[in-house]
Amino acid sequence: MTPPAERRDPYATFRPVRGAWVARLSAVASVVVFGMVAIFSPMPLGSDPALMVLNRVAVALIGVVMAAFLWRYARIRAVPGPRGLRVVNLFSTTEVEWAQVLRVGFSGGASWAVLELTDTEELAVMAIQRADGEHARREASRLAALVEHHHRTGGGGDAG
């Protein structure tokens, strides 16, 4: 039987599996834990009430900021299309044309797939994470097949 990942659209969006779930759960836990600390932490007797409220708000905001960062991590992806690949990593979004990609692989001990580009640069594709095991290998192979397909068909335009 063919695994579901191999039966789907070759242009399906690449997304991490384990890392995204851990990030989402951690984001929720961050809001809950920091919210509980903000609400239930004792304040010293005789403290200025305005300062107590400010401290509680600051603790809650730390939880929200951590959750936002973790949620951003959960949203990393790589979106292939007929003309190229849009890679949305943690802090940057990069678009490359298929003709710019020389090779796809897991470089050295990298935690995610890496694209070797024609300008001698490398671009991390955080959406394909080594921690996802066999799923990551299948996704890297699918991305490499897309690169190969577009190199054979002229590097862009309509897929055939």
Side-chain angles (χ1 to χ4, degrees), residues 62-78:
I62 290 170
V64 169
V65 168
M66 284 178 57
F69 176 79
L70 290 164
W71 205 261
R72 172 68 179 158
Y73 183 87
R75 304 251 321 130
I76 59 179
R77 62 197 175 281

Side-chain angles (χ1 to χ4, degrees), residues 75-106:
R75 304 251 321 130
I76 59 179
R77 62 197 175 281
V79 184
R83 301 216 176 271
L85 182 70
R86 183 168 42 105
V87 179
V88 180
N89 285 336
L90 192 56
F91 296 114
S92 66
T93 298
T94 307
E95 296 200 24
V96 294
E97 294 178 8
W98 293 117
Q100 293 176 274
V101 181
L102 294 175
R103 193 176 82 76
V104 177
F106 288 99

Side-chain angles (χ1 to χ4, degrees), residues 14-16 106 111-113 125-130 136 139-140 143:
F14 296 93
R15 296 181 189 281
F106 288 99
S111 297
W112 37 74
V125 182
M126 295 176 73
I128 303 175
Q129 298 181 356
R130 188 184 298 262
E139 292 292 81
L143 181 54

